[in-house]
Amino acid sequence: MNTQIENKIKASNQKYLSGLIGKTLPERLEKQLEELDWSYLDLIHGGSQKRGTFAPLGAMELDEIAAKKEIFKEEGLKAIRACKVGAILLAGGQGTRLGFDKAKGMFNIGVNKELYIFEQLIRNLMKVTDEAGAWVPLYIMTSEKNDAQTRAFFEEHAYFGYNKDFVKFFVQAMAPAVDFDGNFLIEAEDSLALSPNGNGGWFTSFLRSGLDADMKARGIEWLNVFAVDNVLQQIADPVFIGATILSGRVSGSKVVRKADPHERVGALCLEDGKPSIVEYYELTKEMAEATDEKGSLLYGFGVILNYIFRVDRLLEIADRKLPIHVVEKKVPYINEAGEFVKPEEPNAYKFEELILDMVYMMDNCLPFEVEREKEFAPVKNATGVDSVDTARELLKKNGIEI
Ligand code: UTP
């Protein structure tokens, strides 16, 4: 171990790393320690991130969209046919709440037949590509933990009928975990406890992978970024794309009306005059329940992790740092006695960048209302709210055989 690292370990009195001093380390661990960003430690006692002043933000609502649907759709299809639209599937998460040990997209949501989440998403996308008569380049973000299995799964299933020349994978960056006293955790003899650094890191990871060259060569001007875990996710939706392009804005976000004022979703709003997302726990009771003259909630449009971003603006803001969110999670680790511990309760902080913070940086955004029952079936938990059960019900309601 080099002396610089040794000194850092000593200076911050690292509980789990100090046992390594003076030893020859496995190459992997040595490399991780060399690359370790110690500034994460400064964040854990920093309290929550400072936010600006929130104000409500309306949305383009369903009736207005219905009235202009054909115009928007034509514009969107034109962009897709000109290969100006790419899609980014965020599939690097660990899906800890679901408790499935493989990539979430490999989960079989079917009942009487096999229907994998990835498969359903590809079907949703192919509704659009069939209509457009053109493929949409699809970039899939994985993590070190699930990259190999995700690639193999797509190969094994012949890309679920998608054109494989239009599918590319990239791996997101990792971040360390520390216990509540600021000790970096180790998860194996040759590795720190590392986990994917949150879905906000997607563009930096995309650039680092070099896939921006592919994007530029294809002439892509817009990226539609979406989460793996909504099986009703409408991808490269031409109406949404067209509406965003014609609005003259540099980003758009699909939103649904909150099921109730206290629903645990982030709501689109203004923060110091710029579009932003306020988390449900950041709203006071008064703000959460406030309504306008029509009785609609002022902070009533929840985001569903389906955004469209203009590429030139993304490139402009690419080197700006996103805030890092410190979250408490259960992280398995090796204790001082060398035993592997799988905690039952949160024991550590993880550090995540979130895509919702990008909306603020884009400067302007079109909030675009969609029907919840038709476009929002998140698979977060095994049972209960936003679960496999509720997603199955919603798939059936939408006439999808499962
Ligand atoms: P979630 O915030 O629900 O996180 O991800 P998760 O890791 O999948 O699940 P839990 O919280 O551990 O149960 C929302 C979307 O962001 C992606 C996920 O794959 C999902 O599409 N994501 C999340 C990433 O791509 N990378 C990450 O580091 C985190």
Side-chain angles (χ1 to χ4, degrees):
M1 184 187 295
N2 79 40
T3 38
Q4 222 178 352
I5 299 173
E6 241 180 66
N7 291 340
K8 280 188 178 156
I9 294 175
K10 283 184 195 153
S12 62
N13 203 12
Q14 287 291 317
K15 193 156 138 189
Y16 307 107
L17 298 181
S18 42
L20 303 173
I21 291 177
K23 292 196 179 148
T24 314
L25 301 182
E27 212 177 300
R28 181 167 176 225
L29 181 58
E30 175 117 39
K31 185 156 181 280
Q32 289 174 350
L33 285 171
E34 273 161 21
E35 289 170 358
L36 183 61
D37 182 351
W38 288 73
S39 69
Y40 281 117
L41 294 183
D42 305 335
L43 299 171
I44 62 177
H45 303 301
S48 56
Q49 177 204 348
K50 291 225 173 358
R51 301 295 300 255
T53 307
F54 294 120
L57 176 64
M60 180 180 270
E61 297 186 17
L62 293 176
D63 49 357
E64 184 182 350
I65 295 167
K68 299 185 188 149
K69 188 171 170 193
E70 288 313 313
I71 301 170
F72 291 158
K73 192 168 172 184
E74 243 349 276
E75 185 71 22
L77 287 173
K78 199 170 87 189
I80 291 170
R81 290 185 184 124
C83 202
K84 289 187 179 168
V85 181
I88 306 266
L89 165 52
L90 301 176
Q94 287 182 292
T96 48
R97 284 170 287 172
L98 181 62
F100 178 60
D101 62 355
K102 300 188 195 129
K104 209 188 250 189
M106 292 165 67
F107 186 83
N108 178 12
I109 193 86
V111 179
N112 299 316
K113 59 177 198 174
E114 282 175 358
L115 178 62
Y116 301 101
I117 293 182
F118 280 138
E119 180 177 9
Q120 182 56 33
L121 293 175
I122 294 290
R123 283 193 191 181
N124 296 348
L125 175 56
M126 283 179 72
K127 274 196 305 201
V128 175
T129 54
D130 284 351
E131 183 172 10
W135 296 104
V136 168
L138 174 64
Y139 302 100
I140 302 177
M141 182 169 83
T142 61
S143 81
E144 272 173 27
K145 309 239 175 203
N146 66 20
D147 183 63
Q149 51 180 261
T150 303
R151 288 174 196 248
F153 195 69
F154 270 87
E155 276 293 328
E156 195 184 310
H157 291 91
Y159 292 74
F160 303 104
Y162 210 71
N163 183 341
K164 110 178 229 188
D165 296 340
F166 284 78
V167 182
K168 307 256 183 254
F169 299 87
F170 65 103
V171 182
Q172 74 173 103
M174 303 291 269
V178 299
D179 71 10
F180 296 149
D181 299 319
N183 297 297
F184 286 105
L185 298 176
I186 298 179
E187 69 180 1
E189 257 171 45
D190 66 345
S191 182
L192 293 171
L194 298 178
S195 44
N197 68 343
N199 58 28
W202 72 272
F203 195 60
T204 321
S205 300
F206 182 71
L207 294 178
R208 211 190 35 191
S209 74
L211 278 177
D212 53 322
D214 183 82
M215 171 183 77
K216 285 177 191 156
R218 292 181 192 267
I220 293 171
E221 293 178 7
W222 294 89
L223 287 174
N224 178 206
V225 188
F226 64 99
V228 71
D229 48 19
N230 171 10
V231 285
L232 288 180
Q233 192 79 265
Q234 300 304 302
I235 305 147
D237 171 358
V239 184
F240 176 42
I241 295 166
T244 308
I245 295 176
L246 292 173
S247 75
R249 304 194 197 180
V250 292
S251 70
S253 169
K254 286 203 168 185
V255 292
V256 294
R257 270 174 208 269
K258 278 189 183 173
D260 70 76
H262 299 285
E263 192 189 1
R264 296 157 76 103
V265 293
L268 212 59
C269 66
L270 290 173
E271 179 181 353
D272 295 337
K274 288 211 253 173
S276 187
I277 286 143
V278 56
E279 290 288 2
Y280 64 92
Y281 51 80
E282 293 176 311
L283 287 175
T284 61
K285 186 170 182 298
E286 288 70 40
M287 284 162 86
E289 292 173 1
T291 53
D292 64 13
E293 64 286 352
K294 287 190 281 179
S296 303
L297 292 172
L298 289 182
Y299 294 93
F301 288 112
V303 287
I304 59 169
L305 222 172
N306 188 324
Y307 301 103
I308 172 165
F309 297 113
R310 213 170 74 192
V311 170
D312 57 354
R313 179 71 187 146
L314 282 174
L315 291 167
E316 259 170 46
I317 61 169
D319 44 14
R320 286 205 214 154
K321 284 242 170 301
L322 286 172
I324 292 171
H325 297 251
V326 182
V327 286
E328 294 185 10
K329 295 260 176 162
K330 291 183 262 186
V331 179
Y333 67 104
I334 294 181
N335 69 15
E336 289 159 291
E339 300 150 347
F340 187 71
V341 184
K342 216 171 166 209
E344 298 289 324
E345 295 299 322
N347 62 317
Y349 296 119
K350 279 191 183 176
F351 304 95
E352 295 188 340
E353 290 177 7
L354 301 181
I355 188 167
L356 49 84
D357 290 315
M358 283 185 109
V359 173
Y360 181 80
M361 288 188 180
M362 293 300 287
D363 280 344
N364 62 56
C365 177
L366 176 74
F368 182 91
E369 187 188 3
V370 297
E371 277 179 76
R372 191 182 181 105
E373 297 264 295
K374 290 192 180 153
E375 296 204 20
F376 191 44
V379 183
K380 297 285 182 192
N381 305 298
T383 55
V385 181
D386 295 344
S387 67
V388 174
D389 299 341
T390 54
R392 283 185 173 143
E393 277 317 303
L394 283 160
L395 282 170
K396 281 194 254 170
K397 262 195 191 159
N398 281 279
I400 297 162
E401 266 181 58
I402 55 171

